[in-house]
Amino acid sequence: MRSFQRGALDLRPVILTPGVSRHAEGSAQVEFGHTRVLVTCSVEERVPPHLMGKGTGWVTAEYGMLPRATHTRSQREAAKGKQTGRTMEIQRLIGRSMRAAVNLSTLGPRTLTLDCDVIQADGGTRTASITGAYVALVLALRALQSKGTLSKMPSLTPLAAVSVGVVKGEVRVDLDYDEDSAADVDLNLVATGDGRIVEVQGTAEHQLFDRKALDAMLDGGMAAIQHLIVAQAKVLG
Amino acid sequence: MRSFQRGALDLRPVILTPGVSRHAEGSAQVEFGHTRVLVTCSVEERVPPHLMGKGTGWVTAEYGMLPRATHTRSQREAAKGKQTGRTMEIQRLIGRSMRAAVNLSTLGPRTLTLDCDVIQADGGTRTASITGAYVALVLALRALQSKGTLSKMPSLTPLAAVSVGVVKGEVRVDLDYDEDSAADVDLNLVATGDGRIVEVQGTAEHQLFDRKALDAMLDGGMAAIQHLIVAQAKVLG
Amino acid sequence: MRSFQRGALDLRPVILTPGVSRHAEGSAQVEFGHTRVLVTCSVEERVPPHLMGKGTGWVTAEYGMLPRATHTRSQREAAKGKQTGRTMEIQRLIGRSMRAAVNLSTLGPRTLTLDCDVIQADGGTRTASITGAYVALVLALRALQSKGTLSKMPSLTPLAAVSVGVVKGEVRVDLDYDEDSAADVDLNLVATGDGRIVEVQGTAEHQLFDRKALDAMLDGGMAAIQHLIVAQAKVLG
Amino acid sequence: MRSFQRGALDLRPVILTPGVSRHAEGSAQVEFGHTRVLVTCSVEERVPPHLMGKGTGWVTAEYGMLPRATHTRSQREAAKGKQTGRTMEIQRLIGRSMRAAVNLSTLGPRTLTLDCDVIQADGGTRTASITGAYVALVLALRALQSKGTLSKMPSLTPLAAVSVGVVKGEVRVDLDYDEDSAADVDLNLVATGDGRIVEVQGTAEHQLFDRKALDAMLDGGMAAIQHLIVAQAKVLG
Amino acid sequence: MRSFQRGALDLRPVILTPGVSRHAEGSAQVEFGHTRVLVTCSVEERVPPHLMGKGTGWVTAEYGMLPRATHTRSQREAAKGKQTGRTMEIQRLIGRSMRAAVNLSTLGPRTLTLDCDVIQADGGTRTASITGAYVALVLALRALQSKGTLSKMPSLTPLAAVSVGVVKGEVRVDLDYDEDSAADVDLNLVATGDGRIVEVQGTAEHQLFDRKALDAMLDGGMAAIQHLIVAQAKVLG
Amino acid sequence: MRSFQRGALDLRPVILTPGVSRHAEGSAQVEFGHTRVLVTCSVEERVPPHLMGKGTGWVTAEYGMLPRATHTRSQREAAKGKQTGRTMEIQRLIGRSMRAAVNLSTLGPRTLTLDCDVIQADGGTRTASITGAYVALVLALRALQSKGTLSKMPSLTPLAAVSVGVVKGEVRVDLDYDEDSAADVDLNLVATGDGRIVEVQGTAEHQLFDRKALDAMLDGGMAAIQHLIVAQAKVLG
């Protein structure tokens, strides 16, 4: 039986808590079952060098895990003096996804940074991060608009992310840590509510997969993303 | 008027929430007003090189702040590739304090690491960290005992910490961020319930201070620490 | 017109030159048009800590670009003191792909490292790297077998990689740098000759894509990979 | 018996040698018994970013130990690629103390850096550094005034520092390395000649301490600091 | 017998291949026997801070080795996070040599960077690098002139480099790896075609050497350099 | 006129002060005019990995400059997080020279580290370091012998170092900073008292040099080294 008594294509309980930070322009805590990520969206009135003078804005992301977010303690990246390749890969994915969610040219010359910090990990930290980051991003943009910094709300593309895998020959959605470790195939999907793809990353962990399996995973992932987008819309009002 | 309508020698509302992590052997969230720190205590069956073969254990601490725990975003230490001097100074203070709380020779050859991660900062993050770390430490030791890893509970010295300052000529306890920025003197006190001192660090920020002022600050700090130790005892049962 | 007068689904001229290093156990130079990558496969009689004593081997990869492999000079990563996120992401992809190509449990307690160094870049450096790395890997294994280090040849899964994109509304295979910069969608596919997928990574660069576009890209990529696998087989004899 | 046949509240022989560097604007060598620190004060016509355009100056400090200043060789921090937490903690303490010694707003937009390099260590390197740094600072300011860079001498607060500890139940001043290793309590005091405190940092090393012990340590430290300030005044003329 | 059936004072076969990079302003591959180095010369329209506003240009060099350029794999410097002392020493030598080859004041405010990357190592990588770098430098300057960036060709001092050693009591020129490992004395010479010295670095590896041996080595090195300069002139037309 | 009223081939006043460190097994302060270097020789009972189990010892060196050893303050390497190429080049030179001074196979499985720290710089810091390091090395070996750690004194090759240059057309020995900055040619020579060469490194700074100039520089350097070796012998007794 899967955790939370759920079926193969069901999500874990998803809880999105908006506005969890006193300081950040936008923030949300996102829980996918026992996975818990705190996302803040910080606005800074500057852009990276390659965008200076172009009038456009920028959206970027950073990702981290508290050392004991995991079953056994990992070394603190700040103490080690560098971020792992996994961390970099994930934060690049989150950043690209968020840039697809908003029209950068309508942001003005400012940078929005989405800090996704994993408080507790149980699989799916990157997909939970993206799902929560969209909420924090929208809240930050609304704050900019209500302060008058932005004269109108930028056009947005709601999007969310979920993991899908083949475990014991079965396509399953939103894997927890134990399933993830046992999966033959692991796929992360970032998509919109109307079925358009932002990112798809599928990896044969222990077994190669064919087009049919890919299609089944995409079907499962797309359906789950509808639910996530409904959940986002609910908290965003 | 001070935040939370409190008097000069009053603490902000203190909330200690034990057992906030599924994975860590011991954990607690500690809130001093709007300051919120997550502490986990991780147990590893190894000791640092200088203790190998001596039969004694070790207790250490690491400290971090989420990038947007503060009013404006700080650069992520993991991305910068090094910890600031402030971070190092604080984590050394927490580590020394925790080593004073437990008899290392009764731990067996294992290391307990207290990770104190500031989720939201509003002054007093180091004193909140120490106060919460004591709770996480005790919970981890109890877990070791109930698993049978430790045959009996090590002897403990309950301790807590508070900041004290001189603000506008008045001695105040548990400064929030605005008071801390305006303080002439800033003192951090780590002490036991029966008035013995573990650490005292007093700094003239904008004005030197005399023995009389030091005494007044110590009086205020010691009294506040009694309350913190009662709060710890309550959650530890 | 595309570079090299080719059609939308055609590869650039592919040249695989085996045995280009006097020192490495296996090596190959791979050219996809003007993209040129040197791959060496080094064998070391040790395994990473997490595999010690398990009898299994390990395959890993590192990726680098000479500073002037690109149109304008990039800073040397060794001088900067760290690898970029892009580099890490790519070398992790190559490593995973190569681990799918060979049964690790038949390697004995040794590590094979595939160093993929881009001598000249014109798009597709990661897919060229994977395609060449398979050749270098097989050559190194044959060398181990002919020296008697391996008693029999490990079972292998021939695989190769290609980039696919949507450029000006058209699905195109094996993008060069100019096309890559202009692509709306960018997909990297690692697959076997019989149509099984090792990795698929698709990214909406400027425009979201739907399942139909994904299918068309996968069709184009799979067909191209057949050609690459034939080319590999030719040089491997 | 204590080193140098001294009583519990006596300093080791203190030697302050001004003007030991040909290049630095101000300099001093300070010896507390066998502890020997070289301090230079360098003046640079720039301020840190957060002070730009404010007209005020800045005073900062750096601290280092030669690798064989100690009983056994320590790894060179420059070779290791980072400063230890202890180094950072000490240089922050020296910097804060020196900023208390001079009115920053009278320095003009320039930075004075106090480099404290321990040539030989035998306990009390941080307190010797502060005591010597005050001399180097004053000499540098006089040099600026005599060159006409400063039109008048900034107002100064003479200050010095000493360590105090409880060793074998006795309060002792200016601990050497052997005493420091054996001390139950270790306190560093930075203060002025008229008994005002700049910094007080007390640590229970092996035993907690009460207010009475703290008072006795402060009494001993304050008295010793008078002697140091007389010694500084003598070399400063 | 020496490799390539050559006499004690003979070079290995030297192959200089100009224009090996599509992107770099100038480039050359240089082979000294089995040693193979790829050199690119990149032109950037900026100068280091210390030359700003002086109207003069700058020439600098960087050196690297592919991890498996050597008999056994070396750790990738980019992965390790720092360049070795050997790398730094070599790239400083190449940089100084190239600055002697051209009049910096005639370059205009631009920087030419010579990237010397060792593809395969068999002794003499630094001397091959310098010999090839001169070719790449001249080609880059010609490219600048033909684009009109430089109105006339800067005056050049043709130079090349060779290693010389004492092996088994015999002075030998252009040592390969095996000879280099066995040499009692190792000398690197950078010089012009008319016998003027740019750099001479001689090291007693296992045996001290006298002036007579030094003279013999210089004689051998100077003669070999004539040949290298002829080879450079041939490819430069 | 040269500094210290000396002739073109004269050294600056040389002062060698042995035994300047309480802790190090051997130590010396060396002054060449205003250049002052502190050298300690530390003995550790371990060897680098490549020498383990071979019974031979190792000699190595590290070099550093205090930040204000120079005319203007340089950034502290420990704070910057890396050593410069110049530092690495110099410490490699010192290490090689010291390994030529003693028979490593007679040291037993231990490492001698020569730390050369420049207290004040005025040209010739690397040659002063080598000259002083020989003294510290011998003193450390004697200490090992008198403690009985070494049963007999290893055989030694006395050596020293000096800089030579061509300044305004004249060969000059032991350049101070001003001469060094103005020199057309700069040569560092490490040699024995009987005229055998350990290292020679000559660099054309602003002008190429011929064999005749090299010979004149070597003559001047060799003569000066005799004086340094006499000075070493005097302090070594």
Side-chain angles (χ1 to χ4, degrees):
Chain A
M1 193 54 175
R2 300 190 74 198
S3 61
F4 301 99
Q5 275 70 42
R6 59 192 164 122
L9 300 179
D10 294 339
L11 292 163
R12 290 175 285 181
V14 172
I15 307 176
L16 283 163
T17 314
V20 294
S21 158
R22 278 176 79 77
H23 302 313
E25 285 74 12
S27 67
Q29 183 178 271
V30 52
E31 293 167 81
F32 278 20
H34 299 306
T35 288
R36 187 157 64 240
V37 183
L38 183 61
V39 187
T40 55
C41 181
S42 296
V43 181
E44 290 163 299
E45 299 295 312
R46 52 176 186 69
V47 288
H50 72 281
L51 294 180
M52 275 177 192
K54 303 211 174 150
T56 184
W58 188 242
V59 175
T60 186
E62 294 193 2
Y63 170 94
M65 285 228 267
L66 298 194
R68 194 57 194 277
T70 41
H71 284 73
T72 56
R73 186 176 186 270
S74 315
Q75 207 191 338
R76 188 176 287 267
E77 290 185 332
K80 222 175 6 181
K82 63 177 185 172
Q83 294 176 296
T84 62
R86 180 185 171 279
T87 290
M88 291 215 182
E89 193 174 301
I90 292 175
Q91 69 190 11
R92 284 161 57 88
L93 170 65
I94 303 171
R96 284 195 308 268
S97 298
M98 288 302 111
R99 286 191 289 279
V102 62
N103 186 338
L104 300 178
S105 68
T106 62
L107 293 179
R110 54 182 60 88
T111 297
L112 279 68
T113 301
L114 291 143
D115 283 293
C116 303
D117 285 273
V118 180
I119 302 299
Q120 189 166 275
D122 187 32
T125 64
R126 79 189 71 187
T127 52
S129 293
I130 290 167
T131 302
Y134 178 76
V135 174
L137 176 72
V138 174
L139 293 176
L141 292 172
R142 287 184 186 167
L144 290 185
Q145 194 195 12
S146 65
K147 278 200 305 183
T149 310
L150 283 178
S151 56
K152 61 177 206 132
M153 195 64 187
S155 70
L156 292 161
T157 305
L159 53 80
V162 78
S163 71
V164 200
V166 177
V167 185
K168 298 182 192 162
E170 181 184 62
V171 170
R172 294 187 186 174
V173 160
D174 190 22
L175 310 186
D176 60 25
Y177 177 80
D178 289 339
E179 289 177 323
D180 194 40
S181 309
D184 288 324
V185 183
D186 182 20
L187 181 137
N188 288 290
L189 179 66
V190 187
T192 62
D194 59 358
R196 284 174 301 153
I197 299 172
V198 180
E199 286 267 347
V200 55
Q201 298 196 344
T203 299
E205 293 286 353
H206 300 105
Q207 214 169 282
L208 305 183
F209 57 103
D210 58 16
R211 294 285 291 276
K212 212 177 115 196
L214 176 61
D215 278 332
M217 287 189 283
L218 290 170
D219 288 341
M222 282 296 180
I225 281 175
Q226 309 302 318
H227 292 288
L228 293 169
I229 284 180
V230 167
Q232 289 171 330
K234 202 169 296 174
V235 304
L236 287 170
Chain B
M1 193 55 178
R2 300 190 74 197
S3 61
F4 300 99
Q5 275 72 40
R6 59 193 164 123
L9 300 179
D10 294 340
L11 292 163
R12 290 175 286 180
V14 172
I15 307 177
L16 283 162
T17 314
V20 294
S21 158
R22 279 177 78 77
H23 301 313
E25 284 74 11
S27 67
Q29 183 178 272
V30 52
E31 293 167 80
F32 279 19
H34 299 306
T35 288
R36 188 157 64 240
V37 184
L38 184 61
V39 187
T40 55
C41 181
S42 297
V43 181
E44 290 164 298
E45 298 296 313
R46 52 175 186 71
V47 288
H50 71 282
L51 294 180
M52 275 178 193
K54 305 211 173 150
T56 183
W58 187 240
V59 175
T60 185
E62 294 194 3
Y63 171 94
M65 285 228 268
L66 298 195
R68 194 57 194 279
T70 42
H71 284 73
T72 57
R73 185 176 186 272
S74 314
Q75 208 191 334
R76 188 176 287 267
E77 289 184 333
K80 224 176 2 183
K82 62 176 183 173
Q83 294 176 297
T84 63
R86 180 185 172 278
T87 290
M88 291 214 181
E89 193 174 300
I90 292 175
Q91 69 190 11
R92 284 161 58 86
L93 170 65
I94 303 170
R96 284 196 308 269
S97 299
M98 289 303 111
R99 286 191 290 278
V102 63
N103 186 338
L104 300 179
S105 68
T106 62
L107 293 179
R110 53 183 62 89
T111 297
L112 278 68
T113 302
L114 291 143
D115 283 292
C116 302
D117 283 277
V118 179
I119 302 300
Q120 190 168 274
D122 188 32
T125 63
R126 80 189 70 187
T127 51
S129 294
I130 290 167
T131 303
Y134 179 75
V135 174
L137 177 73
V138 174
L139 293 175
L141 292 172
R142 288 184 186 167
L144 291 185
Q145 194 195 12
S146 68
K147 278 200 306 183
T149 310
L150 283 177
S151 55
K152 61 176 205 136
M153 195 67 185
S155 71
L156 291 160
T157 304
L159 53 80
V162 78
S163 71
V164 200
V166 177
V167 184
K168 298 179 191 164
E170 181 183 62
V171 170
R172 293 187 186 174
V173 159
D174 190 22
L175 310 186
D176 61 25
Y177 177 80
D178 289 338
E179 289 177 323
D180 194 42
S181 309
D184 288 323
V185 183
D186 182 20
L187 181 137
N188 289 291
L189 179 67
V190 187
T192 62
D194 58 358
R196 284 175 302 152
I197 299 173
V198 180
E199 286 267 345
V200 54
Q201 299 197 345
T203 299
E205 292 286 353
H206 300 103
Q207 217 171 279
L208 306 183
F209 56 104
D210 57 18
R211 294 284 291 274
K212 211 177 115 195
L214 176 60
D215 279 333
M217 288 189 284
L218 290 170
D219 288 342
M222 282 297 180
I225 282 175
Q226 310 302 319
H227 292 288
L228 293 169
I229 283 179
V230 168
Q232 289 170 332
K234 200 170 297 173
V235 305
L236 288 170
Chain C
M1 192 56 176
R2 301 189 73 198
S3 60
F4 301 99
Q5 276 69 43
R6 60 194 164 121
L9 300 179
D10 294 340
L11 292 163
R12 289 175 286 180
V14 172
I15 307 177
L16 284 162
T17 314
V20 293
S21 158
R22 278 177 78 78
H23 302 312
E25 284 75 9
S27 67
Q29 182 177 272
V30 51
E31 293 167 80
F32 279 19
H34 300 306
T35 288
R36 188 157 65 241
V37 184
L38 183 61
V39 188
T40 55
C41 181
S42 297
V43 181
E44 289 164 299
E45 298 296 312
R46 52 177 185 70
V47 288
H50 72 281
L51 294 180
M52 276 179 191
K54 303 210 175 151
T56 183
W58 188 242
V59 175
T60 187
E62 294 194 4
Y63 171 93
M65 285 227 269
L66 298 194
R68 195 56 193 279
T70 43
H71 284 73
T72 57
R73 186 176 186 272
S74 315
Q75 208 192 335
R76 188 177 287 267
E77 289 184 332
K80 223 176 2 182
K82 62 177 184 174
Q83 294 177 297
T84 63
R86 179 185 172 277
T87 290
M88 291 216 181
E89 192 174 302
I90 292 175
Q91 70 191 10
R92 283 162 58 86
L93 170 65
I94 303 170
R96 284 195 308 269
S97 299
M98 288 302 111
R99 286 191 289 279
V102 63
N103 187 338
L104 300 179
S105 68
T106 62
L107 292 179
R110 53 183 62 88
T111 297
L112 278 69
T113 301
L114 290 142
D115 283 292
C116 302
D117 283 277
V118 180
I119 303 299
Q120 190 167 276
D122 187 32
T125 63
R126 80 188 71 187
T127 51
S129 293
I130 290 167
T131 303
Y134 179 75
V135 174
L137 176 73
V138 174
L139 293 175
L141 292 172
R142 286 186 187 167
L144 291 185
Q145 194 195 11
S146 67
K147 279 200 304 183
T149 309
L150 283 178
S151 55
K152 61 175 206 140
M153 195 66 185
S155 72
L156 291 161
T157 305
L159 53 81
V162 77
S163 71
V164 199
V166 177
V167 185
K168 298 181 191 163
E170 182 183 62
V171 170
R172 293 187 186 174
V173 160
D174 191 21
L175 310 186
D176 60 25
Y177 178 80
D178 289 339
E179 290 176 322
D180 194 41
S181 309
D184 288 324
V185 184
D186 183 19
L187 182 136
N188 288 291
L189 180 66
V190 187
T192 62
D194 59 357
R196 284 175 301 152
I197 299 172
V198 180
E199 285 266 346
V200 54
Q201 299 196 345
T203 299
E205 293 286 353
H206 300 103
Q207 215 171 284
L208 305 184
F209 57 103
D210 58 16
R211 295 283 292 275
K212 212 178 114 194
L214 176 61
D215 279 332
M217 287 190 284
L218 290 171
D219 288 342
M222 282 297 180
I225 281 174
Q226 309 302 319
H227 292 288
L228 293 169
I229 283 179
V230 168
Q232 289 171 332
K234 202 170 296 173
V235 305
L236 287 170
Chain D
M1 193 56 177
R2 301 189 73 197
S3 62
F4 301 99
Q5 275 70 43
R6 59 193 164 123
L9 299 179
D10 294 340
L11 292 163
R12 290 174 286 180
V14 172
I15 307 176
L16 283 162
T17 313
V20 295
S21 158
R22 278 177 78 77
H23 301 314
E25 284 74 11
S27 67
Q29 183 178 271
V30 51
E31 293 167 79
F32 279 20
H34 299 306
T35 287
R36 186 157 66 241
V37 184
L38 183 61
V39 188
T40 55
C41 181
S42 296
V43 181
E44 289 164 299
E45 299 295 312
R46 52 176 187 70
V47 287
H50 71 282
L51 294 179
M52 275 178 191
K54 302 210 173 150
T56 184
W58 188 241
V59 176
T60 186
E62 294 194 4
Y63 171 93
M65 285 227 268
L66 298 195
R68 194 58 195 278
T70 41
H71 284 73
T72 57
R73 185 175 187 272
S74 314
Q75 206 191 337
R76 188 177 287 266
E77 289 184 332
K80 222 176 4 181
K82 61 177 186 172
Q83 294 175 296
T84 63
R86 179 186 172 278
T87 290
M88 290 215 182
E89 192 173 302
I90 292 175
Q91 69 191 11
R92 284 161 58 86
L93 170 65
I94 303 170
R96 285 196 307 269
S97 298
M98 288 302 112
R99 286 192 289 280
V102 62
N103 186 338
L104 299 179
S105 69
T106 63
L107 292 179
R110 53 184 60 89
T111 297
L112 278 69
T113 302
L114 291 143
D115 283 292
C116 302
D117 283 278
V118 180
I119 302 300
Q120 190 168 274
D122 187 32
T125 63
R126 79 188 73 187
T127 51
S129 293
I130 290 167
T131 302
Y134 179 75
V135 174
L137 176 73
V138 174
L139 293 175
L141 291 172
R142 286 184 187 167
L144 290 185
Q145 194 195 12
S146 67
K147 277 199 306 182
T149 309
L150 282 177
S151 55
K152 61 175 207 136
M153 195 66 185
S155 70
L156 292 161
T157 304
L159 52 81
V162 78
S163 71
V164 199
V166 178
V167 185
K168 298 180 191 163
E170 181 184 61
V171 170
R172 294 187 185 174
V173 159
D174 191 22
L175 311 185
D176 60 24
Y177 177 81
D178 288 339
E179 290 176 322
D180 194 41
S181 309
D184 288 325
V185 183
D186 182 20
L187 181 137
N188 288 290
L189 179 66
V190 187
T192 62
D194 58 359
R196 283 175 302 151
I197 299 172
V198 180
E199 286 267 346
V200 55
Q201 299 195 346
T203 299
E205 292 286 353
H206 300 105
Q207 215 171 281
L208 305 184
F209 56 104
D210 57 19
R211 292 286 290 277
K212 211 177 116 195
L214 176 61
D215 278 333
M217 288 189 283
L218 289 170
D219 288 342
M222 282 298 180
I225 282 175
Q226 309 303 317
H227 292 288
L228 293 169
I229 283 179
V230 168
Q232 289 171 332
K234 201 169 297 174
V235 305
L236 287 170
Chain E
M1 193 55 176
R2 302 188 73 198
S3 61
F4 300 100
Q5 276 69 43
R6 59 193 165 123
L9 300 179
D10 293 339
L11 293 162
R12 290 174 286 179
V14 172
I15 307 176
L16 283 162
T17 313
V20 294
S21 158
R22 278 176 78 77
H23 302 313
E25 284 75 10
S27 67
Q29 183 177 271
V30 51
E31 293 167 80
F32 279 19
H34 299 307
T35 288
R36 186 158 65 241
V37 184
L38 183 61
V39 188
T40 55
C41 181
S42 296
V43 181
E44 290 164 298
E45 297 296 312
R46 52 176 186 69
V47 288
H50 72 281
L51 294 179
M52 276 179 192
K54 304 211 173 148
T56 184
W58 187 242
V59 175
T60 186
E62 294 194 3
Y63 171 93
M65 284 228 268
L66 298 194
R68 194 57 194 277
T70 43
H71 283 73
T72 57
R73 187 176 185 271
S74 315
Q75 208 191 336
R76 188 177 287 266
E77 290 185 332
K80 222 177 1 182
K82 61 178 184 173
Q83 294 177 297
T84 62
R86 180 185 172 277
T87 290
M88 290 214 182
E89 192 174 302
I90 293 175
Q91 69 191 10
R92 283 162 58 88
L93 170 66
I94 303 170
R96 284 196 307 269
S97 299
M98 288 302 112
R99 285 191 290 279
V102 62
N103 186 339
L104 299 179
S105 68
T106 62
L107 292 179
R110 52 183 62 89
T111 297
L112 279 68
T113 302
L114 291 143
D115 283 293
C116 302
D117 283 278
V118 180
I119 302 300
Q120 190 168 273
D122 188 31
T125 64
R126 77 189 73 187
T127 52
S129 293
I130 290 167
T131 303
Y134 179 75
V135 174
L137 176 73
V138 174
L139 293 175
L141 292 172
R142 286 185 187 165
L144 290 185
Q145 194 194 13
S146 67
K147 278 199 305 183
T149 310
L150 283 177
S151 55
K152 63 178 204 131
M153 195 65 187
S155 71
L156 291 161
T157 305
L159 53 80
V162 79
S163 71
V164 199
V166 178
V167 185
K168 298 181 192 163
E170 181 183 62
V171 170
R172 293 187 186 175
V173 159
D174 191 22
L175 310 186
D176 60 25
Y177 178 81
D178 288 340
E179 290 176 322
D180 194 41
S181 309
D184 288 324
V185 184
D186 182 20
L187 181 137
N188 288 291
L189 179 66
V190 188
T192 63
D194 59 358
R196 285 175 301 152
I197 299 173
V198 180
E199 286 267 346
V200 55
Q201 300 196 344
T203 300
E205 293 285 354
H206 301 105
Q207 215 170 282
L208 305 183
F209 56 103
D210 59 16
R211 293 283 292 275
K212 212 177 115 196
L214 176 61
D215 278 333
M217 287 190 283
L218 290 170
D219 288 342
M222 282 297 180
I225 281 175
Q226 310 303 317
H227 293 288
L228 292 169
I229 283 179
V230 168
Q232 288 171 332
K234 202 170 296 174
V235 305
L236 287 170
Chain F
M1 193 54 175
R2 301 189 73 196
S3 60
F4 301 98
Q5 276 70 41
R6 61 193 163 123
L9 300 179
D10 294 341
L11 292 163
R12 290 175 285 180
V14 171
I15 307 176
L16 284 163
T17 313
V20 294
S21 158
R22 279 176 77 78
H23 302 313
E25 284 74 12
S27 67
Q29 183 178 272
V30 52
E31 293 168 80
F32 279 19
H34 300 306
T35 289
R36 187 157 65 239
V37 184
L38 183 62
V39 188
T40 55
C41 181
S42 296
V43 181
E44 290 163 300
E45 298 296 313
R46 53 177 185 69
V47 288
H50 71 281
L51 294 180
M52 276 179 191
K54 303 209 173 150
T56 183
W58 188 241
V59 175
T60 186
E62 294 194 5
Y63 171 93
M65 284 228 267
L66 297 194
R68 195 56 194 277
T70 42
H71 283 74
T72 56
R73 185 175 188 273
S74 314
Q75 208 192 335
R76 187 178 289 267
E77 289 184 332
K80 222 175 7 181
K82 62 176 185 175
Q83 294 176 297
T84 63
R86 180 185 171 277
T87 290
M88 291 216 181
E89 193 174 301
I90 292 175
Q91 71 191 10
R92 284 161 57 86
L93 170 65
I94 303 170
R96 285 195 308 269
S97 299
M98 288 303 112
R99 286 190 289 279
V102 63
N103 187 339
L104 299 179
S105 68
T106 62
L107 292 179
R110 54 183 60 89
T111 297
L112 279 67
T113 301
L114 291 142
D115 283 292
C116 302
D117 283 278
V118 179
I119 303 298
Q120 190 167 275
D122 188 31
T125 63
R126 78 189 72 186
T127 51
S129 294
I130 291 167
T131 303
Y134 179 75
V135 174
L137 176 73
V138 174
L139 293 175
L141 292 172
R142 287 185 186 167
L144 291 186
Q145 194 195 11
S146 67
K147 278 200 305 183
T149 310
L150 283 178
S151 55
K152 61 176 208 136
M153 195 65 184
S155 70
L156 292 161
T157 305
L159 52 82
V162 78
S163 71
V164 199
V166 177
V167 185
K168 297 181 191 162
E170 182 183 62
V171 170
R172 294 188 184 173
V173 160
D174 190 22
L175 310 186
D176 61 25
Y177 177 80
D178 288 340
E179 290 176 323
D180 193 41
S181 309
D184 288 325
V185 183
D186 182 19
L187 182 138
N188 289 291
L189 180 67
V190 187
T192 62
D194 59 357
R196 283 174 302 151
I197 299 173
V198 179
E199 285 268 344
V200 55
Q201 298 196 345
T203 299
E205 293 285 354
H206 300 104
Q207 216 171 281
L208 306 184
F209 57 103
D210 58 17
R211 294 285 291 275
K212 214 178 113 194
L214 176 61
D215 279 332
M217 288 189 284
L218 290 171
D219 288 343
M222 282 297 181
I225 281 174
Q226 309 303 317
H227 292 287
L228 293 169
I229 283 179
V230 168
Q232 289 171 332
K234 202 170 296 173
V235 305
L236 287 170

